[in-house]
Amino acid sequence: MYIDFDRKNMRFMLNTDNTAYIFEIVGGKFPVHRYYGKKIDRPEFMKAKYHSFSPYQFCTDTYFSVADEFMEFPLFGSGDFRCTALKLRGINGDCCTQFIYSGYSIKNGRTEIPGMPFARPEKNSETLELYMRDELNSCTLTLYYTVFPECDIISRSFSLINEGKTAVKIEKAMSLSLDLAGHEFDLISLHGKHMMECMMQRTPLFYGNQSIMSRRGASSHQFNPFIALALSGADEEHGDIYAFNLVYSGNFLDEVEVDHAGNTRVAIGIGSENFGMRLEENEEFFSPEAIMLYTENGLGEMSRKMHAFVRGCISPPEICQNRPVVLNTWEACHFKIDEQLLLDFADEAKKCGIDMIVVDDGWFGERCDDRRGLGDWYVNSEKFPSGLRDFAEKIKDKGLKFGIWIEPEMISPDSGLYRAHPEWCLGCTGRELSLSRSQLVLDLCNPEVVKYLKETFAGIFDGVPIDYIKWDFNRHLSEVGSYALPYDRQDEATHRYMLGVYELYRFFINHFAGVMIENCSGGGGRYDLAMMALSSQIWTSDNTSPSARMKIQYGSSLAYPASVMSCHVSDPGNSENEMRLLDFRYKTALGGILGYEMNILKKSVQVRKEILEQIKFYRMVEDIIKTGDMYRLISPFENTSEISSYYYAKSGGSRTERILFSFLQRNRDEKKTLYLLRIAAADGAYYREYFSGKVYSGEELRSGICINASAEDASGQIMLFELTDKA
Ligand code: GLA
C-alpha cells in the first residue's frame, strides 16, 4: 500500500519506492503540508511559526494562520498572502475563497482527466482524492494525488464543480502547490527561442516571487514548463533536487516564492493570465496534471527518473519500437515538391538504409511558399498528378514507409477556407489580427471547426497508406478570442483551444490507428509532456547545426529522454571537410532518434556509403540510447572549450553496454585539453571497446577514460563498451 491515512492524527502519507509525502488535516479543516523528501520512518514535522500581521480568523487556535502555514492547496483571498493555487470569483462577486476539508477516498490506479492527456498509471499506482467544500459558493473542490512508486513521482491535479444555481468563475488555476522549508535552492529552468530551445539556466532563489511562464498559447520555445529546485551545491551526482513539470501544451506558470519567513513555495499550473473559466450550475473544470519528483542524488538521477517516467507513463507504449530512420524533404526541397524527384530520393534512400520518405510542407492546395494555402487540405494535382494514394503506394512498392506533414491548426488569409470562413480564426471582435509567418490560427474552441478538420483529414487520408504524420504548429496565439464563445467566456479561449487541439489529436490517434505522429512546432515549440503523451517523438529544433544541437539536446535531456528527441543529419556542405562535418552531424544526431534531411541525389557516392554505415551502427546501438540510463559528464553550458560529453548505459538481457559521446565544438581553452570521463562499471568485470578492440576493467572505466579535447574542432567521438568475459 503506497497511500495511507492515519485517522488519529488526520494524517495522509503518500509513498513512492524512495520518497514520502505527508500532510495533515489541521483542526479537521485545513490540509497542511508536513513533509516531502526521502522515505523515512519517523519524519520530523516542520511546524510553521506564527508571525504578527498574519490573520488567524477561522483558525483552530490563535496561532494557526494560513499566512504562515505550509498549505497543501493555498487559496486566494482569505489570508494567505503568498502565491496561491486557486482564485475563484464567487456568487457575491468577491474572490474570498474558502474550501474546508470534507472527506477523502483512496483507490488503485488513477482518476482520468477528461479532455486532457495524463500519465498512464504504473502497475502499483494509487490515487488519493481529497474533497473540500465551499458552502457559500456551493462548490466542491477535489485534489487528486497519484503516486508512481517506481519512478518516485507524485502527480497532482484538481477539479472544481459548481453545484449551486449562480455562476462562479475560476481566475487562477495551479495544479500543484508545494511549500518547502528554507530557500537555499537554485532554480533550474530551460529558456530559449526558435532555433535555440532548452538552454539551461541556474540561479539562486531570492526573497520574493520569481517565475517562468508562457503567455503564447503554447508551452513555447521560450520557456519549457519543466523546472527544478536544486539545493545549493547539488550537482549531477549529489544533493537534494525537487523537480516539477506540467502535462499541458498551452499557457503555463511555474511560480516560486520565497516568503517573509524564508520558506519556499512552488506552484505549477495554467496560472491566471489570459485565463478564466466560468462555471454554471453543474459545470466542472479539470486542471491539467502536474508532476513532482524528489531525489537526494543530484540532477543525473532526477533526469534518469524523469526519462523512465516519460518512457513508461507518458509516451505511447510502443515508443521504443520500430522507429523509422526518415528522409525528410524540408531542407532539400522546401516548397518545391516534385513527385519524380521524390521517387528518385526514395530509390537512393533505400540503398542508404533509410526506412521512410516524409513529404514535408508544400504538397497541398496552392502552397508554393509560406504565404498561402494553409487550411486548403487537398492534394496539389500538379505536384501529384495521380494523387496521394498512388504516390504513397509507389513509395511503399519500393519497400519504404510513407510519412506526410500537416499543420491542421493554422489558416492562411490567402486560402479558400479563409475566404469561406473568416470567422473560423481565433480573433477579437473589431480588432485587426496580427500575422505570424503570414498565418492565422484556427479557432479550435469552435466544435464546428474541429469537426470540419476531422472530416477533411479523413477525406484526404483515408485509403492512403500513411505510416507517419508530422504535425506542425508554426505561430503563437496573439489576439485570443473566439467568435464561437459568448462575451463572458472570452477569457476561456486559450484553454478551450488546447482542449480542441487534444480532441483533434485523439481523433487522429484513433481514426488513423497505428500511424505514428511526430510533433513539431517550428522545432521544439511544444516540447512538453502532453505532446509527448500524444505523439511518438518531437522534432527537437529547426536548428540542425551540431554545435547548436550539442546544447539543445543536452539541455532537453534534463527533463526528457532520447526516445522522444527527433534528430536529423542535415547537409554538411561540399567543402573539403565534408566527411568530418557529416560525421560530427551524425554523432550529434545519434543522441536521439536518427533521421536525414538533405538532397542525397546531390551527394557523392562516398557520402551515401557513409550514410549506409551510419544507419547500420545506429541500429546496433539505438536501444541503449532510447531505453538506457543517461549520465551527463561535461556540460556545454559550463565549460569554455565548448565540450560536451554524456553516456548511456544499459544492462540486462544478454548484454551490458555503455555508449559514450564526447563532442568538441571549439577549443578556446588551451590548457584544458585532457578530460577524464568516469563511467559506471562493475568491479571485476571487463568491457571491450568496439572501435579500438581494447579491453578495460570496470575499475579502469570508473576511474576515468582520458579524452583529448585538443583534437580537431567540430568533431565528435564515440566509444562503445560491451561487457566481455576475456580480460
Ligand atoms: C517548421 C518545421 C520545419 C518544416 C517547416 C515547414 O518550421 O519546424 O521542420 O516542417 O515548418 O513549413
Side-chain angles (χ1 to χ4, degrees):
M1 219 168 54
Y2 286 91
I3 301 183
D4 199 13
F5 180 56
D6 163 5
R7 192 166 298 278
K8 184 164 149 272
N9 295 304
M10 293 289 276
R11 181 178 296 161
F12 289 94
M13 286 163 295
L14 290 74
N15 288 312
T16 66
D17 286 347
N18 300 291
T19 67
Y21 183 99
I22 300 172
F23 65 93
E24 293 173 349
I25 308 297
V26 172
K29 288 181 172 174
F30 301 103
V32 173
H33 183 73
R34 292 298 188 211
Y35 177 83
Y36 184 33
K38 184 176 167 176
K39 201 168 179 181
I40 34 180
D41 290 341
R42 296 165 62 85
E44 278 293 311
F45 293 145
M46 262 99 44
K47 296 240 164 124
K49 180 174 168 301
Y50 174 77
H51 287 82
S52 44
F53 281 82
S54 292
Y56 50 87
Q57 65 270 35
F58 301 103
C59 59
T60 49
D61 61 62
T62 323
Y63 299 107
F64 178 88
S65 167
V66 295
D68 297 311
E69 290 290 343
F70 285 12
M71 302 307 294
E72 264 307 295
F73 198 70
L75 304 166
F76 181 89
S78 47
D80 190 332
F81 303 116
R82 297 162 288 183
C83 56
T84 48
L86 177 69
K87 181 176 177 190
L88 182 73
R89 196 166 291 282
I91 57 167
N92 295 322
D94 62 68
C95 287
C96 170
T97 313
Q98 292 176 348
F99 282 93
I100 299 298
Y101 170 77
S102 65
Y104 77 96
S105 73
I106 296 172
K107 64 178 187 188
N108 290 328
R110 68 161 302 147
T111 311
E112 302 202 344
I113 306 178
M116 259 180 295
F118 49 83
R120 274 189 311 282
E122 288 177 358
K123 140 170 128 289
N124 292 323
S125 282
E126 289 170 20
T127 297
L128 165 67
E129 292 187 3
L130 195 85
Y131 309 115
M132 298 175 76
R133 179 83 184 153
D134 182 336
E135 282 306 337
L136 182 76
N137 283 325
S138 307
C139 286
T140 297
L141 171 72
T142 305
L143 308 184
Y144 303 89
Y145 298 77
T146 300
V147 295
F148 300 81
E150 279 177 43
C151 297
D152 284 325
I153 280 180
I154 299 176
S155 81
R156 293 190 55 183
S157 64
F158 78 85
S159 66
L160 199 152
I161 183 163
N162 179 7
E163 286 147 335
K165 298 236 173 299
T166 312
V168 298
K169 187 172 181 186
I170 301 175
E171 295 189 348
K172 181 179 186 188
M174 302 301 273
S175 305
L176 170 160
S177 180
L178 173 69
D179 287 336
L180 295 167
H183 63 279
E184 288 73 28
F185 295 106
D186 295 334
L187 173 61
I188 297 179
S189 61
L190 299 169
H191 69 98
K193 54 189 174 193
H194 178 222
M195 308 276 283
M196 211 59 204
E197 298 84 346
C198 289
M199 297 295 104
M200 276 170 68
Q201 71 174 337
R202 179 171 180 161
T203 48
L205 294 188
F206 55 83
Y207 276 81
N209 190 292
Q210 44 235 279
S211 58
I212 59 157
M213 66 181 80
S214 168
R215 306 182 185 95
R216 293 169 174 267
S219 48
S220 88
H221 311 80
Q222 283 70 14
F223 293 99
N224 192 276
F226 159 84
I227 56 165
L229 290 181
L231 204 63
S232 308
D235 58 20
E236 282 291 326
E237 288 166 45
H238 314 97
D240 288 28
I241 312 283
Y242 293 91
F244 307 89
N245 211 336
L246 186 66
V247 190
Y248 193 61
S249 322
N251 287 349
F252 74 88
L253 172 65
D254 291 351
E255 221 171 1
V256 181
E257 189 166 314
V258 179
D259 68 12
H260 55 285
N263 295 321
T264 304
R265 174 168 288 173
V266 192
I268 312 287
I270 291 181
S272 60
E273 287 202 55
N274 222 343
F275 171 77
M277 198 48 69
R278 186 180 158 90
L279 300 178
E280 301 282 352
E281 186 177 8
N282 288 326
E283 280 186 332
E284 190 166 17
F285 169 79
F286 290 85
S287 83
E289 181 169 36
I291 61 155
M292 57 187 173
L293 170 154
Y294 165 80
T295 171
E296 57 175 333
N297 297 319
L299 291 163
E301 186 163 289
M302 169 200 79
S303 297
R304 289 187 285 281
K305 285 182 191 271
M306 286 283 193
H307 295 177
F309 176 70
V310 174
R311 287 191 300 257
C313 304
I314 294 283
S315 292
E318 70 287 355
I319 180 82
C320 292
Q321 294 143 27
N322 308 323
R323 309 300 287 283
V325 174
V326 308
L327 178 67
N328 178 296
T329 58
W330 179 243
E331 290 200 14
C333 306
H334 286 111
F335 297 94
K336 292 203 183 73
I337 296 292
D338 175 280
E339 174 165 2
Q340 192 48 53
L341 181 72
L342 299 190
L343 291 172
D344 294 344
F345 270 16
D347 290 331
E348 208 47 58
K350 181 76 188 159
K351 288 187 216 152
C352 293
I354 286 168
D355 305 305
M356 183 188 284
I357 298 291
V358 176
V359 180
D360 208 282
D361 201 350
W363 59 268
F364 57 92
E366 301 304 311
R367 186 80 170 160
C368 55
D369 56 33
D370 66 6
R371 293 198 295 279
R372 69 205 80 229
L374 286 172
D376 292 343
W377 297 106
Y378 60 87
V379 181
N380 182 307
S381 56
E382 276 169 34
K383 294 180 180 173
F384 295 101
S386 31
L388 196 60
R389 177 175 173 173
D390 178 76
F391 172 72
E393 280 168 355
K394 284 182 189 147
I395 295 284
K396 305 286 280 203
D397 288 346
K398 292 178 190 293
L400 287 162
K401 294 182 178 194
F402 173 66
I404 194 155
W405 178 96
I406 58 172
E407 195 176 3
E409 298 160 66
M410 296 292 162
I411 179 166
S412 310
D414 186 358
S415 67
L417 186 64
Y418 185 80
R419 285 183 280 275
H421 286 290
E423 79 289 2
W424 277 8
C425 302
L426 285 177
C428 302
T429 306
R431 300 288 176 200
E432 202 171 306
L433 304 185
S434 315
L435 295 174
S436 178
R437 209 192 189 205
S438 304
Q439 62 201 55
L440 297 168
V441 186
L442 278 170
D443 178 5
L444 270 67
C445 312
N446 183 346
E448 230 189 312
V449 176
V450 177
K451 181 167 171 270
Y452 170 83
L453 289 170
K454 289 178 185 173
E455 287 168 1
T456 302
F457 281 102
I460 185 172
F461 287 164
D462 277 353
V464 181
I466 296 176
D467 298 291
Y468 166 111
I469 287 172
K470 176 176 170 190
W471 182 314
D472 216 334
F473 172 82
N474 277 318
R475 68 156 291 176
H476 290 142
L477 279 44
S478 48
E479 293 75 23
V480 190
S482 166
Y483 301 108
L485 291 174
Y487 161 85
D488 52 6
R489 286 190 181 270
Q490 286 300 315
D491 47 6
E492 300 177 14
T494 325
H495 178 60
R496 287 187 183 274
Y497 175 82
M498 279 326 306
L499 296 179
V501 172
Y502 293 144
E503 184 181 335
L504 197 59
Y505 259 94
R506 281 193 305 274
F507 167 79
F508 270 74
I509 291 166
N510 297 328
H511 188 83
F512 304 111
V515 173
M516 190 180 139
I517 300 179
E518 170 162 305
N519 171 270
C520 175
S521 166
R526 286 204 297 206
Y527 209 83
D528 58 68
L529 292 176
M531 284 302 165
M532 287 173 197
L534 297 167
S535 56
S536 301
Q537 59 197 45
I538 302 189
W539 178 227
T540 318
S541 178
D542 272 352
N543 196 337
T544 52
S545 121
S547 51
R549 281 287 183 137
M550 201 163 105
K551 286 189 166 170
I552 295 168
Q553 295 175 198
Y554 198 97
S556 66
S557 81
L558 259 196
Y560 307 107
S563 57
V564 300
M565 203 187 288
S566 176
C567 304
H568 293 178
V569 180
S570 57
D571 196 332
N574 290 324
S575 71
E576 57 186 34
N577 293 327
E578 183 180 19
M579 294 312 286
R580 175 161 61 84
L581 295 179
L582 176 71
D583 185 71
F584 188 26
R585 280 169 192 249
Y586 161 70
K587 284 177 179 159
T588 314
L590 207 56
I593 304 298
L594 183 70
Y596 289 81
E597 201 151 330
M598 65 178 79
N599 185 341
I600 45 171
L601 300 173
K602 290 198 176 150
K603 294 279 106 185
S604 63
V605 176
Q606 195 192 3
V607 167
R608 288 187 238 163
K609 275 196 181 146
E610 184 60 24
I611 292 177
L612 180 66
E613 292 309 313
Q614 290 178 341
I615 294 174
K616 271 193 204 151
F617 182 75
Y618 169 69
R619 287 298 184 209
M620 218 171 90
V621 296
E622 63 175 324
D623 190 51
I624 324 173
I625 297 161
K626 281 187 308 201
T627 63
D629 284 331
M630 187 197 196
Y631 293 81
R632 286 179 296 259
L633 298 174
I634 303 179
S635 165
F637 296 99
E638 281 170 15
N639 62 77
T640 53
S641 301
E642 298 184 25
I643 292 177
S644 149
S645 181
Y646 51 85
Y647 72 92
Y648 285 93
K650 173 120 200 223
S651 307
S654 55
R655 292 159 75 180
T656 293
E657 290 160 308
R658 278 116 182 74
I659 181 160
L660 171 72
F661 297 87
S662 49
F663 300 103
L664 173 69
Q665 169 54 25
R666 206 174 321 135
N667 187 12
R668 290 218 210 105
D669 182 348
E670 291 304 323
K671 284 177 233 129
K672 272 193 180 174
T673 48
L674 295 178
Y675 281 84
L676 263 194
L677 304 179
R678 296 191 167 81
I679 299 166
D683 272 347
Y686 290 94
Y687 301 81
R688 183 183 305 282
E689 201 282 314
Y690 174 81
F691 295 100
S692 63
K694 196 172 163 205
V695 174
Y696 295 83
S697 69
E699 291 83 345
E700 265 177 288
L701 287 187
R702 280 215 317 279
S703 56
I705 302 273
C706 197
I707 62 151
N708 184 355
S710 60
E712 271 177 311
D713 283 358
S715 61
Q717 297 178 44
I718 290 181
M719 295 172 100
L720 173 64
F721 302 96
E722 261 189 291
L723 196 65
T724 173
D725 293 337
K726 294 178 212 105

